[in-house]
Amino acid sequence: MRIAILEDDPDQLALLRRWMVEDGHDVHGYLSGRETMKQAGRESFDLFMLDWQVPDVSGTEVLTWLRANVSKTVPVLFVTVRDSEQDIVFALEHGADDYMVKPVRRQELLARVHALLRRAYPTEEQKQLSFPPFEIDVQRGEVRKAGAKLDLTPKEFELTVTLFRNIGRLLSRGHLQETVWGRSGDLATRTVDTHVSQVRKKLDLRPESGYRVVPIYNYGYRLERLE
């Protein structure tokens, strides 16, 4: 999963980043609230981990901005020294999904993150995905349309799984790149566009077939299911 962390203490940020990376996530760390909002406007993330007390824009202000401008459902976990009941209630009532008081313990933090991700993205646990007429077997690496197996390259298959697991959700090119190709900084953006085009063609993702891939200029793509 792709996680954004707001933490103004470089040592604490490095520790949280290491824990999350070791757990298999792609992590982007930010030392200021302003930079977090800037990047959240350019990129998509699966979860935000926010400190409250940061020098410029507070974590609660970032939370309010995220809910108004990015997503009302993306999981947000506070990790902060503020421990009063009033602070906890304030954060939860303003859109946070969970709240932890520093110092946090590694296993508990990972358990909380796992719980938030399971609730937000239940299809991530599924090995068989059904989106008629498409049937996707994650373990065998197969996509079938009306029973017929489609000829996809490994990267086209991974991209197909990512799009269908996030159906209706706008994903940035960077998000797709990290999910499918890993954090290879030398990968050209055009590679993502080319693979999306191939997936669209091979699966025949157009309105007449009940699905469409919507490109968002300078951002990324969203797979939509049409009634």
Side-chain angles (χ1 to χ4, degrees):
M1 289 294 194
R2 201 175 201 224
I3 297 177
I5 302 178
L6 167 60
E7 169 59 66
D8 69 321
D9 181 333
D11 292 335
Q12 181 73 10
L13 177 57
L15 178 64
L16 294 174
R17 183 201 295 271
R18 179 163 59 82
W19 287 353
M20 292 299 115
V21 169
E22 288 174 352
D23 197 48
H25 305 288
D26 292 310
V27 180
H28 294 255
Y30 306 109
L31 295 167
S32 74
R34 204 173 305 281
E35 182 64 18
T36 304
M37 293 190 294
K38 178 182 175 182
Q39 295 303 322
R42 295 176 173 177
E43 295 283 347
S44 54
F45 296 96
D46 297 307
L47 180 142
F48 287 87
M49 192 180 298
L50 303 179
D51 190 7
W52 187 313
Q53 294 174 272
V54 289
D56 56 350
V57 179
S58 73
T60 53
E61 291 175 280
V62 173
L63 169 65
T64 300
W65 185 88
L66 289 173
R67 290 297 180 232
N69 297 281
V70 174
S71 169
K72 300 205 181 297
T73 58
V74 63
V76 175
L77 166 65
F78 265 88
V79 179
T80 174
V81 295
R82 297 180 65 132
D83 61 355
S84 75
E85 182 180 16
Q86 182 179 359
D87 288 336
I88 297 170
V89 170
F90 180 90
L92 295 175
E93 288 189 342
H94 283 77
D97 297 280
D98 202 352
Y99 194 104
M100 296 185 71
V101 177
K102 296 177 184 175
V104 296
R105 293 171 292 189
R106 182 178 187 272
Q107 291 304 323
E108 182 183 359
L109 176 64
L110 294 178
R112 301 277 191 106
V113 167
H114 294 167
L116 290 174
L117 293 174
R118 275 198 308 272
R119 288 202 298 268
Y121 312 104
T123 57
E124 285 292 325
E125 305 295 323
Q126 298 174 12
K127 300 304 180 185
Q128 300 281 340
L129 305 177
S130 179
F131 294 90
F134 300 103
E135 300 294 330
I136 303 173
D137 188 324
V138 178
Q139 285 186 315
R140 297 178 67 176
E142 294 181 357
V143 178
R144 294 182 179 274
K145 182 178 182 181
K149 181 181 176 182
L150 301 180
D151 184 20
L152 301 177
T153 68
K155 293 304 181 189
E156 288 168 355
F157 173 77
E158 289 181 47
L159 182 58
T160 298
V161 171
T162 300
L163 290 171
F164 275 94
R165 275 181 165 163
N166 292 277
I167 196 162
R169 181 180 172 211
L170 178 57
L171 298 174
S172 67
R173 282 182 178 85
H175 196 148
L176 292 171
Q177 175 181 329
E178 287 184 10
T179 302
V180 177
W181 286 270
R183 297 200 69 177
S184 50
D186 57 346
L187 180 73
T189 312
R190 185 178 183 125
T191 302
V192 177
D193 297 334
T194 300
H195 279 73
V196 170
S197 178
Q198 286 297 105
V199 166
R200 181 194 279 125
K201 185 192 305 183
K202 290 185 177 182
L203 273 65
D204 193 26
L205 298 173
R206 53 194 176 89
E208 293 82 356
S209 67
Y211 297 87
R212 68 179 176 190
V213 177
V214 179
I216 306 300
Y217 181 69
N218 272 350
Y219 190 88
Y221 297 92
R222 177 174 57 238
L223 176 63
E224 295 180 346
R225 176 163 38 194
L226 305 175
E227 296 301 329

